[in-house]
Amino acid sequence: MKVGFIGLGNIGMPMAKTLLKAGFTLTVHNRSRGKVDEMVTLGAEQAWSPKEIAGATDIVLTCLPDVPTVEEIFLGEEGVVRNARPGQILVDHSTIGPSTARKIAKAADSIGAFFLDAPLGGGSAQAAVEGTLTIMVGGDRRAYERALPVFQAMGSTIPYMGPAGAGSTMKLVSNLMAGINSVGVAEAFLLARRLGLNPQVFLDTAATNAGRSFMLSYLGPIMAGGDFTRPVDTLRPALRLITKDLELITDAAQEAGVPLLAGAQALRVFQEASSLGMGEDDLASILRVLEELADKPT
């Protein structure tokens, strides 16, 4: 099976390398040509446009930064859908809203192609290198089964979630929990410290109590240590990425008629990070955002 890959970012690049190692014939495209050149040295073919990728492959995968880019790559004049063939499988691994996924799937269906929304969980570069990603797939079940060998090269947990949009929905509700939990951990740290608890003792003790969580173990050591420097190669997301996801979640919830109470408060905190110029800061810096809010004059 000839595979195309568009979007060689922090997660896309190791995913593409994993596909090469698994023996797939791979053609890649990226706006930054340096990463394309690197993949070519490893054995990939290069393409100069999404149109060219569509014409050269059986399945096209994308891993892109935001919804406008996804829509441009798939639905633009030189995009993948307009240049796809009947029976071709088109896959997006980005985080998008379910309505966007359904729109692209409808466009693909109109020309006899298949679109799968397949966002990632455990989405770190290390997971991509190790082939242990969670890939949550929505779309036509037959297309999912045909694409499964490609997914299995990159992921170890690959549930079929349902029709178009279901993969994106699963990703968003997961990130809703992560966003709320991140704010909860930061709020507890701030309150514990200002009530006189030692941050490290708080972390060690909280990890044995009912409030323990993945986010406590993930962000807690940074919050306790107080060094919020975000290394270039960090696997933790920037605050702006969680903000974007929570905004997508809010839109989806409004479409479903579901009020988000805790989610709305979490979004407010993350949006405050942007207003403070902290959008590119490490996720653990949500604690610093709460500090700023606590110290604002009332």
Side-chain angles (χ1 to χ4, degrees):
M1 182 181 289
K2 295 180 179 179
V3 180
F5 204 105
I6 302 173
L8 302 175
N10 291 338
I11 304 299
M13 187 73 162
M15 290 171 70
K17 288 180 178 179
T18 300
L19 288 169
L20 268 183
K21 289 178 184 176
F24 287 99
T25 301
L26 186 67
T27 303
V28 297
H29 171 65
N30 193 67
R31 284 176 176 169
S32 171
R33 298 303 300 179
K35 292 186 175 182
V36 173
D37 293 340
E38 180 181 346
M39 289 300 300
V40 169
T41 65
L42 297 174
E45 299 293 325
Q46 66 176 323
W48 294 92
S49 67
K51 178 179 179 179
E52 188 178 341
I53 283 269
T57 59
D58 303 307
I59 179 171
V60 179
L61 314 178
T62 67
C63 192
L64 303 166
D66 51 46
V67 172
T69 305
V70 170
E71 291 190 340
E72 176 190 349
I73 293 297
F74 279 95
L75 302 177
E77 284 293 332
E78 296 294 308
V80 174
V81 171
R82 288 178 182 267
N83 296 282
R85 304 180 305 278
Q88 194 169 17
I89 300 174
L90 316 176
V91 181
D92 181 46
H93 292 297
S94 319
T95 300
I96 59 176
S99 60
T100 301
R102 289 191 289 267
K103 179 167 68 173
I104 299 172
K106 183 177 180 180
D109 183 65
S110 70
I111 54 100
F114 300 97
F115 175 78
L116 300 175
D117 52 298
L120 308 171
S124 71
Q126 190 60 35
V129 169
E130 294 170 352
T132 58
L133 291 167
T134 295
I135 304 175
M136 300 160 275
V137 187
D140 184 270
R141 178 128 203 174
R142 293 164 300 171
Y144 160 81
E145 291 170 352
R146 285 173 53 201
L148 199 53
V150 177
F151 295 152
Q152 287 170 333
M154 303 179 291
S156 56
T157 303
I158 311 162
Y160 174 71
M161 301 305 306
S168 297
T169 297
M170 184 66 222
K171 173 70 171 183
L172 291 184
V173 296
S174 295
N175 282 5
L176 172 64
M177 292 188 289
I180 293 170
N181 195 201
S182 298
V183 173
V185 168
E187 193 167 79
F189 257 95
L190 178 59
L191 182 60
R193 193 177 69 211
R194 295 204 174 180
L195 289 176
L197 295 181
N198 176 284
Q200 188 60 52
V201 174
F202 162 75
L203 174 60
D204 294 342
T205 308
T208 69
N209 278 292
R212 66 186 181 273
S213 66
F214 172 79
M215 281 300 176
L216 179 67
S217 62
Y218 189 51
L219 304 177
I222 304 160
M223 293 179 178
D227 181 2
F228 297 93
T229 305
R230 186 167 187 264
V232 174
D233 61 349
T234 183
L235 304 182
R236 295 182 305 275
L239 291 172
R240 68 172 176 82
L241 296 177
I242 305 300
T243 307
K244 176 207 71 168
D245 290 354
L246 287 173
E247 289 170 345
L248 288 171
I249 291 162
T250 300
D251 291 342
Q254 288 174 345
E255 290 178 17
V258 176
L260 297 184
L261 304 180
Q265 291 302 311
L267 175 57
R268 173 176 169 260
V269 176
F270 279 94
Q271 288 174 331
E272 185 70 18
S274 298
S275 70
L276 293 170
M278 295 171 60
E280 295 300 329
D281 290 3
D282 189 277
L283 176 56
S285 296
I286 200 66
L287 174 59
R288 295 174 56 227
V289 177
L290 289 177
E291 289 174 336
E292 292 280 350
L293 289 171
D295 293 336
K296 274 187 176 181
T298 56

